[in-house]
Amino acid sequence: ETGVTQSPTHLIKTRGQQVTLRCSSQSGHNTVSWYQQALGQGPQFIFQYYREEENGRGNFPPRFSGLQFPNYSSELNVNALELDDSALYLCASSMIVNLVAGELFFGEGSRLTVL
Amino acid sequence: SQQGEEDPQALSIQEGENATMNCSYKTSINNLQWYRQNSGRGLVHLILIRSNEREKHSGRLRVTLDTSKKSSSLLITASRAADTASYFCATVAAAGNKLTFGGGTRVLVKP
C-alpha cells in the first residue's frame, strides 16, 4: 500500500476522444509525476508537478496536459486520442528535497485502451 | 529515450537460485533506484543507491553501483516463486528532479 490511488482503473475510448485520469497523492508529498507504460516496456516520463506548477516534461505532445491541486491530487488530460496512446498510465508521488528526486510511490495505474 | 538499459531482458531460474540483473546508463547521476512490478500493476520501490555509495543491502537484495563504468547490478539471493516480476532501474541525473526508467528485466522463478 503506497497511499497513492488512481481512477479509473480501466477505460476504453475511441480515437479522437478526450480522457481525464485522476490521482490522489500520498499525504505530505509535494510532487506528482505521471508516466506512460506501453506493454512490455519501461515507464516513460510524461511530466511532473511540484507545488502545483509543471516542473519538467518528457517528450510528449501538448495534447497531454495536467494539473495539480492544492491538496496535491492531480489530473492527466489527453486530447485527440490516438491508437498509440493505449497504455498503462502511472501516477507517482514523492518528496523533492533540495531539488533532487527521491523514492517514488506509485499508484496501481489506469489502463487506457483506444479503439 | 531511456537512460538506463537492463540486461538481460528476461531471466528464468529455479527457486533457491540467485538472480542477477544489470543496468547501464549514459550520464552522471545523483542516485539510481530499483523498482519491481508485478504484471500490469504499479511499481514498488526496492532500493535507492546514491552516487557516492558502492553497495547497499536490503533483505535478500544487494545492489552495487560503479559510477566509473556507469553501471549497477541487482542481486536477489535465494529466489522465491513470489519474486517473479519485472525489475526496473531508474536514474536521477546529477542535477535532476525526475526518474528515467530502463526497459526492465523480466524474471521468472520456477518452483
Side-chain angles (χ1 to χ4, degrees), chain B residues 3-42:
Chain B
Q3 159 80 311
E5 294 295 337
E6 286 93 335
D7 172 60
Q9 290 188 331
L11 182 58
S12 180
I13 56 174
Q14 293 294 135
E15 208 165 26
E17 293 181 339
N18 294 342
T20 300
M21 58 210 86
N22 303 296
C23 170
S24 59
Y25 57 91
K26 299 186 178 91
T27 60
S28 296
I29 61 169
N30 175 281
N31 67 74
L32 183 145
Q33 303 177 33
W34 286 91
Y35 288 79
R36 166 199 166 114
Q37 183 180 38
N38 287 355
S39 181
R41 312 238 4 226

PDB file of all heavy atoms in Angstrom, chain B residues 3-42:
ATOM      1  N   GLN B   3      17.409   6.275 -20.195  1.00  0.00           N
ATOM      2  CA  GLN B   3      18.732   6.462 -19.643  1.00  0.00           C
ATOM      3  C   GLN B   3      19.328   5.129 -19.243  1.00  0.00           C
ATOM      4  O   GLN B   3      20.485   4.852 -19.530  1.00  0.00           O
ATOM      5  CB  GLN B   3      18.621   7.411 -18.435  1.00  0.00           C
ATOM      6  CG  GLN B   3      19.747   7.351 -17.454  1.00  0.00           C
ATOM      7  CD  GLN B   3      20.971   8.118 -17.877  1.00  0.00           C
ATOM      8  OE1 GLN B   3      21.429   7.972 -18.984  1.00  0.00           O
ATOM      9  NE2 GLN B   3      21.508   8.913 -16.985  1.00  0.00           N
ATOM     10  N   GLY B   4      18.525   4.298 -18.552  1.00  0.00           N
ATOM     11  CA  GLY B   4      19.043   3.027 -18.094  1.00  0.00           C
ATOM     12  C   GLY B   4      18.615   1.912 -19.024  1.00  0.00           C
ATOM     13  O   GLY B   4      17.517   1.904 -19.550  1.00  0.00           O
ATOM     14  N   GLU B   5      19.518   0.961 -19.221  1.00  0.00           N
ATOM     15  CA  GLU B   5      19.196  -0.210 -20.017  1.00  0.00           C
ATOM     16  C   GLU B   5      19.526  -1.442 -19.208  1.00  0.00           C
ATOM     17  O   GLU B   5      20.653  -1.610 -18.757  1.00  0.00           O
ATOM     18  CB  GLU B   5      19.997  -0.217 -21.322  1.00  0.00           C
ATOM     19  CG  GLU B   5      19.627   0.916 -22.283  1.00  0.00           C
ATOM     20  CD  GLU B   5      18.213   0.801 -22.808  1.00  0.00           C
ATOM     21  OE1 GLU B   5      17.665  -0.324 -22.807  1.00  0.00           O
ATOM     22  OE2 GLU B   5      17.643   1.822 -23.208  1.00  0.00           O
ATOM     23  N   GLU B   6      18.539  -2.312 -19.012  1.00  0.00           N
ATOM     24  CA  GLU B   6      18.764  -3.502 -18.203  1.00  0.00           C
ATOM     25  C   GLU B   6      19.221  -4.670 -19.075  1.00  0.00           C
ATOM     26  O   GLU B   6      18.853  -4.780 -20.251  1.00  0.00           O
ATOM     27  CB  GLU B   6      17.478  -3.894 -17.455  1.00  0.00           C
ATOM     28  CG  GLU B   6      17.134  -2.991 -16.282  1.00  0.00           C
ATOM     29  CD  GLU B   6      16.214  -1.880 -16.701  1.00  0.00           C
ATOM     30  OE1 GLU B   6      16.217  -1.521 -17.884  1.00  0.00           O
ATOM     31  OE2 GLU B   6      15.491  -1.365 -15.839  1.00  0.00           O
ATOM     32  N   ASP B   7      19.949  -5.537 -18.439  1.00  0.00           N
ATOM     33  CA  ASP B   7      20.446  -6.741 -19.091  1.00  0.00           C
ATOM     34  C   ASP B   7      20.480  -7.854 -18.046  1.00  0.00           C
ATOM     35  O   ASP B   7      20.978  -7.630 -16.945  1.00  0.00           O
ATOM     36  CB  ASP B   7      21.856  -6.464 -19.640  1.00  0.00           C
ATOM     37  CG  ASP B   7      22.506  -7.729 -20.152  1.00  0.00           C
ATOM     38  OD1 ASP B   7      21.959  -8.347 -21.076  1.00  0.00           O
ATOM     39  OD2 ASP B   7      23.566  -8.098 -19.608  1.00  0.00           O
ATOM     40  N   PRO B   8      19.935  -9.055 -18.320  1.00  0.00           N
ATOM     41  CA  PRO B   8      19.262  -9.427 -19.574  1.00  0.00           C
ATOM     42  C   PRO B   8      17.839  -8.866 -19.624  1.00  0.00           C
ATOM     43  O   PRO B   8      17.345  -8.350 -18.642  1.00  0.00           O
ATOM     44  CB  PRO B   8      19.236 -10.956 -19.489  1.00  0.00           C
ATOM     45  CG  PRO B   8      19.126 -11.227 -18.014  1.00  0.00           C
ATOM     46  CD  PRO B   8      19.950 -10.153 -17.350  1.00  0.00           C
ATOM     47  N   GLN B   9      17.192  -9.010 -20.761  1.00  0.00           N
ATOM     48  CA  GLN B   9      15.800  -8.588 -20.872  1.00  0.00           C
ATOM     49  C   GLN B   9      14.889  -9.572 -20.162  1.00  0.00           C
ATOM     50  O   GLN B   9      13.821  -9.191 -19.680  1.00  0.00           O
ATOM     51  CB  GLN B   9      15.403  -8.467 -22.344  1.00  0.00           C
ATOM     52  CG  GLN B   9      16.062  -7.316 -23.063  1.00  0.00           C
ATOM     53  CD  GLN B   9      15.517  -7.100 -24.448  1.00  0.00           C
ATOM     54  OE1 GLN B   9      15.060  -8.044 -25.082  1.00  0.00           O
ATOM     55  NE2 GLN B   9      15.540  -5.870 -24.924  1.00  0.00           N
ATOM     56  N   ALA B  10      15.293 -10.833 -20.113  1.00  0.00           N
ATOM     57  CA  ALA B  10      14.488 -11.854 -19.446  1.00  0.00           C
ATOM     58  C   ALA B  10      15.407 -12.866 -18.795  1.00  0.00           C
ATOM     59  O   ALA B  10      16.518 -13.128 -19.275  1.00  0.00           O
ATOM     60  CB  ALA B  10      13.552 -12.539 -20.437  1.00  0.00           C
ATOM     61  N   LEU B  11      14.920 -13.443 -17.693  1.00  0.00           N
ATOM     62  CA  LEU B  11      15.732 -14.342 -16.876  1.00  0.00           C
ATOM     63  C   LEU B  11      14.809 -15.401 -16.293  1.00  0.00           C
ATOM     64  O   LEU B  11      13.773 -15.063 -15.710  1.00  0.00           O
ATOM     65  CB  LEU B  11      16.371 -13.523 -15.763  1.00  0.00           C
ATOM     66  CG  LEU B  11      17.316 -14.151 -14.769  1.00  0.00           C
ATOM     67  CD1 LEU B  11      18.495 -14.785 -15.476  1.00  0.00           C
ATOM     68  CD2 LEU B  11      17.804 -13.088 -13.800  1.00  0.00           C
ATOM     69  N   SER B  12      15.187 -16.672 -16.449  1.00  0.00           N
ATOM     70  CA  SER B  12      14.382 -17.750 -15.893  1.00  0.00           C
ATOM     71  C   SER B  12      15.272 -18.601 -14.997  1.00  0.00           C
ATOM     72  O   SER B  12      16.313 -19.083 -15.439  1.00  0.00           O
ATOM     73  CB  SER B  12      13.804 -18.611 -17.023  1.00  0.00           C
ATOM     74  OG  SER B  12      13.025 -19.659 -16.500  1.00  0.00           O
ATOM     75  N   ILE B  13      14.888 -18.758 -13.733  1.00  0.00           N
ATOM     76  CA  ILE B  13      15.712 -19.502 -12.783  1.00  0.00           C
ATOM     77  C   ILE B  13      14.833 -20.401 -11.929  1.00  0.00           C
ATOM     78  O   ILE B  13      13.608 -20.246 -11.896  1.00  0.00           O
ATOM     79  CB  ILE B  13      16.506 -18.549 -11.854  1.00  0.00           C
ATOM     80  CG1 ILE B  13      15.561 -17.598 -11.121  1.00  0.00           C
ATOM     81  CG2 ILE B  13      17.566 -17.788 -12.633  1.00  0.00           C
ATOM     82  CD1 ILE B  13      16.241 -16.728 -10.093  1.00  0.00           C
ATOM     83  N   GLN B  14      15.473 -21.337 -11.223  1.00  0.00           N
ATOM     84  CA  GLN B  14      14.778 -22.199 -10.287  1.00  0.00           C
ATOM     85  C   GLN B  14      14.733 -21.530  -8.917  1.00  0.00           C
ATOM     86  O   GLN B  14      15.638 -20.771  -8.544  1.00  0.00           O
ATOM     87  CB  GLN B  14      15.480 -23.542 -10.163  1.00  0.00           C
ATOM     88  CG  GLN B  14      15.431 -24.413 -11.411  1.00  0.00           C
ATOM     89  CD  GLN B  14      14.021 -24.873 -11.756  1.00  0.00           C
ATOM     90  OE1 GLN B  14      13.617 -24.831 -12.903  1.00  0.00           O
ATOM     91  NE2 GLN B  14      13.296 -25.323 -10.736  1.00  0.00           N
ATOM     92  N   GLU B  15      13.678 -21.840  -8.201  1.00  0.00           N
ATOM     93  CA  GLU B  15      13.556 -21.357  -6.824  1.00  0.00           C
ATOM     94  C   GLU B  15      14.818 -21.743  -6.038  1.00  0.00           C
ATOM     95  O   GLU B  15      15.334 -22.858  -6.176  1.00  0.00           O
ATOM     96  CB  GLU B  15      12.319 -21.977  -6.173  1.00  0.00           C
ATOM     97  CG  GLU B  15      11.712 -21.129  -5.082  1.00  0.00           C
ATOM     98  CD  GLU B  15      10.308 -21.591  -4.716  1.00  0.00           C
ATOM     99  OE1 GLU B  15      10.001 -22.788  -4.908  1.00  0.00           O
ATOM    100  OE2 GLU B  15       9.518 -20.761  -4.260  1.00  0.00           O
ATOM    101  N   GLY B  16      15.305 -20.804  -5.234  1.00  0.00           N
ATOM    102  CA  GLY B  16      16.507 -21.059  -4.445  1.00  0.00           C
ATOM    103  C   GLY B  16      17.771 -20.536  -5.095  1.00  0.00           C
ATOM    104  O   GLY B  16      18.778 -20.313  -4.402  1.00  0.00           O
ATOM    105  N   GLU B  17      17.756 -20.350  -6.410  1.00  0.00           N
ATOM    106  CA  GLU B  17      18.925 -19.804  -7.099  1.00  0.00           C
ATOM    107  C   GLU B  17      18.976 -18.292  -6.918  1.00  0.00           C
ATOM    108  O   GLU B  17      18.005 -17.657  -6.499  1.00  0.00           O
ATOM    109  CB  GLU B  17      18.871 -20.153  -8.595  1.00  0.00           C
ATOM    110  CG  GLU B  17      19.010 -21.632  -8.883  1.00  0.00           C
ATOM    111  CD  GLU B  17      18.968 -21.937 -10.379  1.00  0.00           C
ATOM    112  OE1 GLU B  17      18.443 -21.107 -11.144  1.00  0.00           O
ATOM    113  OE2 GLU B  17      19.446 -23.012 -10.759  1.00  0.00           O
ATOM    114  N   ASN B  18      20.137 -17.731  -7.237  1.00  0.00           N
ATOM    115  CA  ASN B  18      20.290 -16.277  -7.219  1.00  0.00           C
ATOM    116  C   ASN B  18      19.967 -15.711  -8.594  1.00  0.00           C
ATOM    117  O   ASN B  18      20.202 -16.357  -9.620  1.00  0.00           O
ATOM    118  CB  ASN B  18      21.727 -15.893  -6.852  1.00  0.00           C
ATOM    119  CG  ASN B  18      22.071 -16.298  -5.430  1.00  0.00           C
ATOM    120  OD1 ASN B  18      21.202 -16.563  -4.605  1.00  0.00           O
ATOM    121  ND2 ASN B  18      23.367 -16.356  -5.147  1.00  0.00           N
ATOM    122  N   ALA B  19      19.425 -14.491  -8.595  1.00  0.00           N
ATOM    123  CA  ALA B  19      19.122 -13.789  -9.847  1.00  0.00           C
ATOM    124  C   ALA B  19      19.929 -12.508  -9.875  1.00  0.00           C
ATOM    125  O   ALA B  19      19.896 -11.734  -8.911  1.00  0.00           O
ATOM    126  CB  ALA B  19      17.635 -13.482  -9.950  1.00  0.00           C
ATOM    127  N   THR B  20      20.637 -12.283 -10.959  1.00  0.00           N
ATOM    128  CA  THR B  20      21.426 -11.068 -11.116  1.00  0.00           C
ATOM    129  C   THR B  20      21.011 -10.355 -12.386  1.00  0.00           C
ATOM    130  O   THR B  20      20.895 -10.968 -13.446  1.00  0.00           O
ATOM    131  CB  THR B  20      22.933 -11.379 -11.191  1.00  0.00           C
ATOM    132  OG1 THR B  20      23.341 -12.029  -9.988  1.00  0.00           O
ATOM    133  CG2 THR B  20      23.727 -10.089 -11.357  1.00  0.00           C
ATOM    134  N   MET B  21      20.777  -9.056 -12.273  1.00  0.00           N
ATOM    135  CA  MET B  21      20.462  -8.250 -13.447  1.00  0.00           C
ATOM    136  C   MET B  21      21.278  -6.964 -13.384  1.00  0.00           C
ATOM    137  O   MET B  21      21.635  -6.497 -12.294  1.00  0.00           O
ATOM    138  CB  MET B  21      18.967  -7.972 -13.537  1.00  0.00           C
ATOM    139  CG  MET B  21      18.340  -7.272 -12.380  1.00  0.00           C
ATOM    140  SD  MET B  21      16.599  -7.752 -12.150  1.00  0.00           S
ATOM    141  CE  MET B  21      16.769  -9.227 -11.157  1.00  0.00           C
ATOM    142  N   ASN B  22      21.569  -6.435 -14.552  1.00  0.00           N
ATOM    143  CA  ASN B  22      22.453  -5.293 -14.651  1.00  0.00           C
ATOM    144  C   ASN B  22      21.755  -4.120 -15.320  1.00  0.00           C
ATOM    145  O   ASN B  22      20.795  -4.293 -16.071  1.00  0.00           O
ATOM    146  CB  ASN B  22      23.686  -5.667 -15.473  1.00  0.00           C
ATOM    147  CG  ASN B  22      24.413  -6.853 -14.888  1.00  0.00           C
ATOM    148  OD1 ASN B  22      24.936  -6.794 -13.779  1.00  0.00           O
ATOM    149  ND2 ASN B  22      24.423  -7.963 -15.620  1.00  0.00           N
ATOM    150  N   CYS B  23      22.262  -2.941 -15.002  1.00  0.00           N
ATOM    151  CA  CYS B  23      21.701  -1.712 -15.553  1.00  0.00           C
ATOM    152  C   CYS B  23      22.862  -0.831 -15.973  1.00  0.00           C
ATOM    153  O   CYS B  23      23.789  -0.605 -15.183  1.00  0.00           O
ATOM    154  CB  CYS B  23      20.858  -1.013 -14.486  1.00  0.00           C
ATOM    155  SG  CYS B  23      20.323   0.661 -14.901  1.00  0.00           S
ATOM    156  N   SER B  24      22.819  -0.332 -17.198  1.00  0.00           N
ATOM    157  CA  SER B  24      23.834   0.625 -17.641  1.00  0.00           C
ATOM    158  C   SER B  24      23.143   1.937 -17.967  1.00  0.00           C
ATOM    159  O   SER B  24      21.980   1.954 -18.394  1.00  0.00           O
ATOM    160  CB  SER B  24      24.580   0.089 -18.870  1.00  0.00           C
ATOM    161  OG  SER B  24      23.676  -0.147 -19.935  1.00  0.00           O
ATOM    162  N   TYR B  25      23.859   3.032 -17.742  1.00  0.00           N
ATOM    163  CA  TYR B  25      23.287   4.337 -18.004  1.00  0.00           C
ATOM    164  C   TYR B  25      24.322   5.229 -18.665  1.00  0.00           C
ATOM    165  O   TYR B  25      25.496   4.863 -18.767  1.00  0.00           O
ATOM    166  CB  TYR B  25      22.758   4.963 -16.696  1.00  0.00           C
ATOM    167  CG  TYR B  25      23.785   5.108 -15.605  1.00  0.00           C
ATOM    168  CD1 TYR B  25      24.550   6.259 -15.472  1.00  0.00           C
ATOM    169  CD2 TYR B  25      23.986   4.080 -14.686  1.00  0.00           C
ATOM    170  CE1 TYR B  25      25.485   6.388 -14.462  1.00  0.00           C
ATOM    171  CE2 TYR B  25      24.930   4.196 -13.676  1.00  0.00           C
ATOM    172  CZ  TYR B  25      25.672   5.354 -13.571  1.00  0.00           C
ATOM    173  OH  TYR B  25      26.612   5.473 -12.564  1.00  0.00           O
ATOM    174  N   LYS B  26      23.883   6.391 -19.125  1.00  0.00           N
ATOM    175  CA  LYS B  26      24.754   7.176 -20.004  1.00  0.00           C
ATOM    176  C   LYS B  26      25.336   8.424 -19.354  1.00  0.00           C
ATOM    177  O   LYS B  26      26.470   8.806 -19.646  1.00  0.00           O
ATOM    178  CB  LYS B  26      23.985   7.587 -21.266  1.00  0.00           C
ATOM    179  CG  LYS B  26      23.495   6.415 -22.109  1.00  0.00           C
ATOM    180  CD  LYS B  26      22.879   6.892 -23.414  1.00  0.00           C
ATOM    181  CE  LYS B  26      22.423   5.736 -24.278  1.00  0.00           C
ATOM    182  NZ  LYS B  26      21.048   5.338 -24.043  1.00  0.00           N
ATOM    183  N   THR B  27      24.557   9.119 -18.499  1.00  0.00           N
ATOM    184  CA  THR B  27      25.030  10.403 -17.985  1.00  0.00           C
ATOM    185  C   THR B  27      25.250  10.319 -16.480  1.00  0.00           C
ATOM    186  O   THR B  27      24.795   9.387 -15.823  1.00  0.00           O
ATOM    187  CB  THR B  27      24.022  11.517 -18.300  1.00  0.00           C
ATOM    188  OG1 THR B  27      22.768  11.208 -17.681  1.00  0.00           O
ATOM    189  CG2 THR B  27      23.800  11.635 -19.805  1.00  0.00           C
ATOM    190  N   SER B  28      25.913  11.324 -15.934  1.00  0.00           N
ATOM    191  CA  SER B  28      26.175  11.350 -14.491  1.00  0.00           C
ATOM    192  C   SER B  28      24.873  11.375 -13.708  1.00  0.00           C
ATOM    193  O   SER B  28      23.905  12.002 -14.124  1.00  0.00           O
ATOM    194  CB  SER B  28      27.000  12.594 -14.136  1.00  0.00           C
ATOM    195  OG  SER B  28      28.250  12.531 -14.738  1.00  0.00           O
ATOM    196  N   ILE B  29      24.883  10.701 -12.580  1.00  0.00           N
ATOM    197  CA  ILE B  29      23.664  10.565 -11.800  1.00  0.00           C
ATOM    198  C   ILE B  29      23.821  11.098 -10.387  1.00  0.00           C
ATOM    199  O   ILE B  29      24.930  11.191  -9.855  1.00  0.00           O
ATOM    200  CB  ILE B  29      23.197   9.092 -11.727  1.00  0.00           C
ATOM    201  CG1 ILE B  29      24.274   8.226 -11.059  1.00  0.00           C
ATOM    202  CG2 ILE B  29      22.825   8.578 -13.113  1.00  0.00           C
ATOM    203  CD1 ILE B  29      23.805   6.829 -10.713  1.00  0.00           C
ATOM    204  N   ASN B  30      22.701  11.453  -9.777  1.00  0.00           N
ATOM    205  CA  ASN B  30      22.662  11.747  -8.349  1.00  0.00           C
ATOM    206  C   ASN B  30      22.380  10.463  -7.583  1.00  0.00           C
ATOM    207  O   ASN B  30      22.984  10.201  -6.551  1.00  0.00           O
ATOM    208  CB  ASN B  30      21.594  12.776  -8.049  1.00  0.00           C
ATOM    209  CG  ASN B  30      21.438  13.032  -6.558  1.00  0.00           C
ATOM    210  OD1 ASN B  30      20.801  12.256  -5.841  1.00  0.00           O
ATOM    211  ND2 ASN B  30      22.021  14.127  -6.077  1.00  0.00           N
ATOM    212  N   ASN B  31      21.403   9.692  -8.070  1.00  0.00           N
ATOM    213  CA  ASN B  31      21.098   8.406  -7.463  1.00  0.00           C
ATOM    214  C   ASN B  31      20.509   7.457  -8.492  1.00  0.00           C
ATOM    215  O   ASN B  31      20.081   7.884  -9.574  1.00  0.00           O
ATOM    216  CB  ASN B  31      20.173   8.553  -6.240  1.00  0.00           C
ATOM    217  CG  ASN B  31      18.773   9.035  -6.605  1.00  0.00           C
ATOM    218  OD1 ASN B  31      17.971   8.296  -7.140  1.00  0.00           O
ATOM    219  ND2 ASN B  31      18.479  10.310  -6.280  1.00  0.00           N
ATOM    220  N   LEU B  32      20.506   6.193  -8.156  1.00  0.00           N
ATOM    221  CA  LEU B  32      19.940   5.156  -9.007  1.00  0.00           C
ATOM    222  C   LEU B  32      19.015   4.326  -8.136  1.00  0.00           C
ATOM    223  O   LEU B  32      19.341   4.026  -6.975  1.00  0.00           O
ATOM    224  CB  LEU B  32      21.042   4.289  -9.616  1.00  0.00           C
ATOM    225  CG  LEU B  32      20.635   3.186 -10.608  1.00  0.00           C
ATOM    226  CD1 LEU B  32      21.701   3.026 -11.690  1.00  0.00           C
ATOM    227  CD2 LEU B  32      20.348   1.881  -9.930  1.00  0.00           C
ATOM    228  N   GLN B  33      17.874   3.974  -8.688  1.00  0.00           N
ATOM    229  CA  GLN B  33      16.871   3.245  -7.910  1.00  0.00           C
ATOM    230  C   GLN B  33      16.441   1.990  -8.662  1.00  0.00           C
ATOM    231  O   GLN B  33      16.463   1.962  -9.892  1.00  0.00           O
ATOM    232  CB  GLN B  33      15.653   4.150  -7.655  1.00  0.00           C
ATOM    233  CG  GLN B  33      16.009   5.446  -6.955  1.00  0.00           C
ATOM    234  CD  GLN B  33      14.827   6.366  -6.764  1.00  0.00           C
ATOM    235  OE1 GLN B  33      13.694   5.933  -6.580  1.00  0.00           O
ATOM    236  NE2 GLN B  33      15.095   7.666  -6.814  1.00  0.00           N
ATOM    237  N   TRP B  34      16.025   0.991  -7.908  1.00  0.00           N
ATOM    238  CA  TRP B  34      15.466  -0.230  -8.484  1.00  0.00           C
ATOM    239  C   TRP B  34      14.024  -0.366  -8.030  1.00  0.00           C
ATOM    240  O   TRP B  34      13.694  -0.124  -6.871  1.00  0.00           O
ATOM    241  CB  TRP B  34      16.265  -1.449  -8.056  1.00  0.00           C
ATOM    242  CG  TRP B  34      17.589  -1.560  -8.743  1.00  0.00           C
ATOM    243  CD1 TRP B  34      18.785  -1.052  -8.330  1.00  0.00           C
ATOM    244  CD2 TRP B  34      17.856  -2.247  -9.974  1.00  0.00           C
ATOM    245  NE1 TRP B  34      19.775  -1.369  -9.236  1.00  0.00           N
ATOM    246  CE2 TRP B  34      19.234  -2.106 -10.249  1.00  0.00           C
ATOM    247  CE3 TRP B  34      17.073  -2.981 -10.874  1.00  0.00           C
ATOM    248  CZ2 TRP B  34      19.835  -2.659 -11.378  1.00  0.00           C
ATOM    249  CZ3 TRP B  34      17.676  -3.534 -11.999  1.00  0.00           C
ATOM    250  CH2 TRP B  34      19.032  -3.373 -12.244  1.00  0.00           C
ATOM    251  N   TYR B  35      13.186  -0.774  -8.983  1.00  0.00           N
ATOM    252  CA  TYR B  35      11.762  -0.973  -8.729  1.00  0.00           C
ATOM    253  C   TYR B  35      11.347  -2.354  -9.223  1.00  0.00           C
ATOM    254  O   TYR B  35      11.959  -2.913 -10.129  1.00  0.00           O
ATOM    255  CB  TYR B  35      10.920   0.081  -9.460  1.00  0.00           C
ATOM    256  CG  TYR B  35      11.009   1.462  -8.855  1.00  0.00           C
ATOM    257  CD1 TYR B  35      12.102   2.279  -9.103  1.00  0.00           C
ATOM    258  CD2 TYR B  35      10.000   1.943  -8.015  1.00  0.00           C
ATOM    259  CE1 TYR B  35      12.201   3.537  -8.542  1.00  0.00           C
ATOM    260  CE2 TYR B  35      10.085   3.203  -7.445  1.00  0.00           C
ATOM    261  CZ  TYR B  35      11.176   3.989  -7.720  1.00  0.00           C
ATOM    262  OH  TYR B  35      11.263   5.237  -7.152  1.00  0.00           O
ATOM    263  N   ARG B  36      10.263  -2.836  -8.669  1.00  0.00           N
ATOM    264  CA  ARG B  36       9.693  -4.120  -9.055  1.00  0.00           C
ATOM    265  C   ARG B  36       8.249  -3.881  -9.485  1.00  0.00           C
ATOM    266  O   ARG B  36       7.550  -3.032  -8.912  1.00  0.00           O
ATOM    267  CB  ARG B  36       9.735  -5.037  -7.827  1.00  0.00           C
ATOM    268  CG  ARG B  36       8.907  -6.282  -7.907  1.00  0.00           C
ATOM    269  CD  ARG B  36       8.659  -6.836  -6.511  1.00  0.00           C
ATOM    270  NE  ARG B  36       7.611  -7.826  -6.556  1.00  0.00           N
ATOM    271  CZ  ARG B  36       7.778  -9.114  -6.298  1.00  0.00           C
ATOM    272  NH1 ARG B  36       8.975  -9.561  -5.924  1.00  0.00           N
ATOM    273  NH2 ARG B  36       6.773  -9.961  -6.387  1.00  0.00           N
ATOM    274  N   GLN B  37       7.807  -4.637 -10.499  1.00  0.00           N
ATOM    275  CA  GLN B  37       6.445  -4.508 -10.974  1.00  0.00           C
ATOM    276  C   GLN B  37       5.884  -5.890 -11.232  1.00  0.00           C
ATOM    277  O   GLN B  37       6.405  -6.633 -12.074  1.00  0.00           O
ATOM    278  CB  GLN B  37       6.375  -3.682 -12.263  1.00  0.00           C
ATOM    279  CG  GLN B  37       4.954  -3.449 -12.760  1.00  0.00           C
ATOM    280  CD  GLN B  37       4.910  -2.621 -14.032  1.00  0.00           C
ATOM    281  OE1 GLN B  37       5.763  -2.762 -14.910  1.00  0.00           O
ATOM    282  NE2 GLN B  37       3.926  -1.731 -14.144  1.00  0.00           N
ATOM    283  N   ASN B  38       4.819  -6.221 -10.515  1.00  0.00           N
ATOM    284  CA  ASN B  38       4.072  -7.426 -10.836  1.00  0.00           C
ATOM    285  C   ASN B  38       3.194  -7.106 -12.032  1.00  0.00           C
ATOM    286  O   ASN B  38       2.803  -5.964 -12.249  1.00  0.00           O
ATOM    287  CB  ASN B  38       3.235  -7.882  -9.641  1.00  0.00           C
ATOM    288  CG  ASN B  38       4.096  -8.481  -8.548  1.00  0.00           C
ATOM    289  OD1 ASN B  38       5.296  -8.634  -8.714  1.00  0.00           O
ATOM    290  ND2 ASN B  38       3.493  -8.811  -7.433  1.00  0.00           N
ATOM    291  N   SER B  39       2.834  -8.130 -12.756  1.00  0.00           N
ATOM    292  CA  SER B  39       2.203  -7.977 -14.063  1.00  0.00           C
ATOM    293  C   SER B  39       1.076  -6.950 -14.084  1.00  0.00           C
ATOM    294  O   SER B  39       0.060  -7.104 -13.403  1.00  0.00           O
ATOM    295  CB  SER B  39       1.651  -9.344 -14.501  1.00  0.00           C
ATOM    296  OG  SER B  39       1.046  -9.236 -15.768  1.00  0.00           O
ATOM    297  N   GLY B  40       1.276  -5.887 -14.860  1.00  0.00           N
ATOM    298  CA  GLY B  40       0.221  -4.907 -15.076  1.00  0.00           C
ATOM    299  C   GLY B  40      -0.141  -4.050 -13.887  1.00  0.00           C
ATOM    300  O   GLY B  40      -1.158  -3.372 -13.898  1.00  0.00           O
ATOM    301  N   ARG B  41       0.680  -4.066 -12.846  1.00  0.00           N
ATOM    302  CA  ARG B  41       0.356  -3.313 -11.630  1.00  0.00           C
ATOM    303  C   ARG B  41       1.322  -2.151 -11.461  1.00  0.00           C
ATOM    304  O   ARG B  41       2.179  -1.904 -12.294  1.00  0.00           O
ATOM    305  CB  ARG B  41       0.425  -4.246 -10.412  1.00  0.00           C
ATOM    306  CG  ARG B  41      -0.301  -5.526 -10.632  1.00  0.00           C
ATOM    307  CD  ARG B  41      -1.398  -5.932  -9.719  1.00  0.00           C
ATOM    308  NE  ARG B  41      -1.827  -5.086  -8.675  1.00  0.00           N
ATOM    309  CZ  ARG B  41      -2.035  -5.506  -7.434  1.00  0.00           C
ATOM    310  NH1 ARG B  41      -1.763  -6.764  -7.136  1.00  0.00           N
ATOM    311  NH2 ARG B  41      -2.486  -4.697  -6.509  1.00  0.00           N
ATOM    312  N   GLY B  42       1.165  -1.427 -10.355  1.00  0.00           N
ATOM    313  CA  GLY B  42       2.064  -0.322 -10.084  1.00  0.00           C
ATOM    314  C   GLY B  42       3.455  -0.789  -9.700  1.00  0.00           C
ATOM    315  O   GLY B  42       3.664  -1.942  -9.357  1.00  0.00           O
TER     316      GLY B  42
END
